[in-house]
Amino acid sequence: LQLESGLRRAIETNALRLEYQPLVELASGRIVGAEALCRWDHPKRGPVPPAVFIPVAEDSGLIEALGGWVLRTATRQLRAWHDAGHAELMMAVNLSARQFQRGIVLQQVEDALVEADIPAEKLELELTESVLLHDGEAVMAVLRRLKALGVKLSMDDFGTGYSSLAYLRRFKFDKIKIDQSFVRDMIDDPDNAAIVRGIISLALSLGLDVLAEGVEDETVATRLRHWQCTFAQGYHFARPMRPEAFIERLRGG
Ligand code: G
Ligand code: G
Ligand code: MN
Ligand code: NA
């Protein structure tokens, strides 16, 4: 409860911030965009991880305000990068299932795009499979309208949930993000290697982009390139960064 009132105050006083983790095209090594990751530096407790405060936000209803703030902040940041000469970059934002329940997310996405003057196809929404389990028709309607706006949809943490292949097609997802639990030790674990390779192959044959999360070394990156994986993300390339560090990195620093 204390955490909840602290979080409410943090949202109201603009005390949350975003970090940005580069998304890399494997073949070229180029940064193609960023995933926005929410951070909360609590005045007394220090940094509170999103794995702790996102569930608090979801259970308290604060996730709608938080989600709106994340969308506005991330699209504004993308506008700044575009203005700095990096107009090819895209931004990925995480959405949790709760944000779909009242459908407010649709208006929030539209407003953020208009305010920041960002082409819809440069915004990607990362959804987990859990989104698709919650009340069917309402969620589906919102997803269809988001697609109609032109934003991209990616399936986050793929392989850990119910992984409905039917949904991938029905909602015209654009990208699969392979969960880092499979990627991290795919060199030592043949089962994980087979899963990663299988998901890449599945994505490519469905005409979807595919990104491997949690790439921590060059051995893994090389293997993924060999398997024609399109994109990657992970500490091997870059950690989530503050905006100042991200723009340095874009400049080649
Ligand atoms: O950055 P980190 O690995 O600590 O993130 C942990 C989890 O928190 C990830 O699963 C990520 O999807 C989630 N998360 C981070 N930022 C946001 C956000 O802005 N909105 C939502 N819904 N989830 C987020
Ligand atoms: O659930 P989601 O995929 O949105 O969460 C992304 C999370 O993974 C972020 O919290 C980010 O900090 C973390 N992350 C990103 N790259 C790596 C990595 O290479 N290794 C590990 N262990 N975590 C990573
Ligand atoms: Mn994500
Ligand atoms: Na993930």
Side-chain angles (χ1 to χ4, degrees):
L1 204 65
Q2 247 176 13
L3 215 49
E4 182 183 324
S5 59
L7 184 60
R8 176 171 290 114
R9 204 168 318 116
I11 296 168
E12 285 166 1
T13 61
N14 216 20
L16 300 176
R17 59 187 179 85
L18 294 182
E19 286 192 345
Y20 300 93
Q21 187 175 32
L23 308 176
V24 173
E25 182 181 57
L26 271 165
S28 64
R30 274 185 320 140
I31 295 175
V32 296
E35 176 175 356
L37 293 158
C38 196
R39 298 290 181 255
W40 179 21
D41 304 314
H42 192 281
K44 292 202 190 80
R45 297 169 191 239
V48 183
V52 173
F53 71 78
I54 294 290
V56 171
E58 288 174 341
D59 293 343
S60 60
L62 287 171
I63 192 69
E64 285 189 343
L66 187 151
W69 177 85
V70 169
L71 281 162
R72 284 193 304 279
T73 306
T75 48
R76 261 183 223 151
Q77 182 61 65
L78 186 61
R79 166 54 40 222
W81 292 339
H82 284 192
D83 289 345
H86 304 282
E88 74 291 349
L89 294 178
M90 48 73 70
M91 181 68 76
V93 170
N94 291 285
L95 294 184
S96 46
R98 279 291 171 88
Q99 293 176 259
F100 283 82
Q101 281 181 348
R102 296 199 300 138
I104 281 180
V105 70
L106 184 65
Q107 192 63 49
Q108 290 177 332
V109 167
E110 277 194 84
D111 290 348
L113 290 172
V114 170
E115 266 178 53
D117 189 23
I118 295 296
E121 69 271 15
K122 293 298 189 192
L123 179 64
E124 187 169 286
L125 304 176
E126 297 195 1
L127 315 178
T128 58
E129 290 148 333
S130 67
V131 168
L132 305 172
L133 297 178
H134 288 249
D135 45 312
E137 242 343 284
V139 172
M140 307 211 180
V142 174
L143 281 178
R144 264 192 298 273
R145 293 179 65 185
L146 285 169
K147 262 323 261 193
L149 281 180
V151 300
K152 307 279 189 188
L153 299 182
S154 77
M155 180 67 81
D156 202 4
D157 304 341
F158 190 81
T160 58
Y162 292 83
S163 302
S164 169
L165 302 177
Y167 279 128
L168 276 178
R169 288 191 60 84
R170 180 129 51 102
F171 294 107
K172 302 192 173 14
F173 272 78
D174 299 281
K175 184 187 285 176
I176 293 175
K177 296 187 76 172
I178 308 172
D179 191 69
Q180 57 188 40
S181 60
F182 305 113
V183 177
R184 232 180 298 131
D185 49 19
M186 67 180 215
I187 298 299
D188 300 323
D189 182 336
D191 289 342
N192 282 342
I195 289 167
V196 171
R197 192 178 186 175
I199 296 174
I200 293 168
S201 155
L202 168 80
L204 296 179
S205 45
L206 289 172
L208 304 175
D209 283 329
V210 58
L211 178 147
E213 304 185 294
V215 177
E216 294 187 349
D217 58 62
E218 182 52 33
T219 313
V220 170
T222 301
R223 184 77 58 90
L224 290 167
R225 246 179 247 117
H226 182 67
W227 291 338
Q228 316 292 325
C229 186
T230 349
F231 302 109
Q233 171 178 7
Y235 297 166
H236 175 58
F237 301 101
R239 292 185 173 253
M241 296 184 284
R242 291 175 181 262
E244 313 83 63
F246 195 94
I247 193 84
E248 272 305 301
R249 181 65 185 255
L250 287 175
R251 294 199 187 105

